[in-house]
């Protein structure tokens, strides 16, 4: 499997950034959820997933592997913005706006986007060819 990957100097700082995100996520996880630390921690997890998969994608030498990693990056990437918004709402002491219906819409739209990206091979709404 490792024959499909090669060293890419551009991936080194991205891996370092991912390690820093992991450390910050672990520190944030140990805090209470008074100011929205759980949303912040989950946002960092999304950034971490996106960052590591992007760094591995840069090292990829096989089109199929690069295509798979490109699609998997969205697993973390689509939730970064909604989690940031939820964190800001909670941090600014406006948690009354984080109702169940608001959260359903807030996280439902990225979930639909993620499903559309992962099933792009069936409908080609985002891209029709990768070369």
């Amino acid at each position: 499997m490792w024959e499909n990957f090669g060293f890419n100097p551009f991936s080194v700082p991205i891996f370092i950034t991912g390690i820093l995100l992991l450390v910050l996520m672990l520190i944030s996880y140990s805090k209470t959820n008074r100011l929205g630390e759980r949303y912040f921690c989950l946002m960092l997890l999304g950034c971490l997933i996106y960052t590591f998969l992007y760094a591995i994608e840069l090292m990829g030498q096989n089109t199929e592997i690069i295509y798979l990693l490109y699609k998997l990056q969205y697993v973390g990437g689509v939730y970064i913005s909604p989690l940031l918004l939820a964190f800001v709402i909670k941090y600014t002491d406006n948690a009354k706006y984080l109702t169940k219906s608001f959260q359903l819409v807030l996280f439902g739209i990225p979930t639909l986007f993620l499903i559309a990206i992962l099933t792009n091979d069936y409908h080609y709404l985002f891209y029709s060819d990768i070369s």
Side-chain angles (χ1 to χ4, degrees):
M1 177 176 158
W2 292 109
E3 62 271 0
N4 294 323
F5 298 97
F7 177 73
N8 187 336
F10 295 111
S11 64
V12 174
I14 298 172
F15 275 121
I16 293 171
T17 303
I19 292 169
L20 293 174
L21 286 169
L22 178 64
V23 170
L24 189 57
M25 184 184 76
L26 292 174
I27 292 170
S28 173
Y29 185 74
S30 66
K31 305 288 183 188
T32 62
N33 196 24
R34 190 173 58 85
L35 296 174
E37 289 87 356
R38 295 293 179 242
Y39 291 120
F40 185 72
C41 182
L42 290 172
M43 182 191 67
L44 290 176
L45 178 63
C47 292
L48 178 70
I49 292 169
Y50 184 82
T51 302
F52 271 120
L53 290 175
Y54 179 62
I56 295 170
E57 176 192 345
L58 287 178
M59 295 181 349
Q61 296 179 343
N62 184 342
T63 307
E64 290 83 22
I65 296 289
I66 293 171
Y67 180 61
L68 174 67
L69 291 169
Y70 175 76
K71 288 182 0 181
L72 289 177
Q73 287 173 27
Y74 283 97
V75 171
V78 296
Y79 295 109
I80 294 171
S81 297
L83 286 167
L84 177 61
L85 179 62
F87 167 69
V88 168
I89 289 172
K90 177 90 175 182
Y91 187 79
T92 58
D93 204 23
N94 290 311
K96 62 184 176 231
Y97 298 114
L98 285 173
T99 62
K100 294 290 182 188
S101 59
F102 179 74
Q103 289 182 8
L104 182 67
V105 172
L106 185 65
F107 296 107
I109 294 171
T111 302
L112 292 175
F113 183 79
L114 178 63
I115 291 169
I117 283 286
L118 294 177
T119 60
N120 186 66
D121 295 337
Y122 301 109
H123 50 71
Y124 302 108
L125 289 175
F126 293 94
Y127 42 85
S128 59
D129 186 35
I130 295 211
S131 53

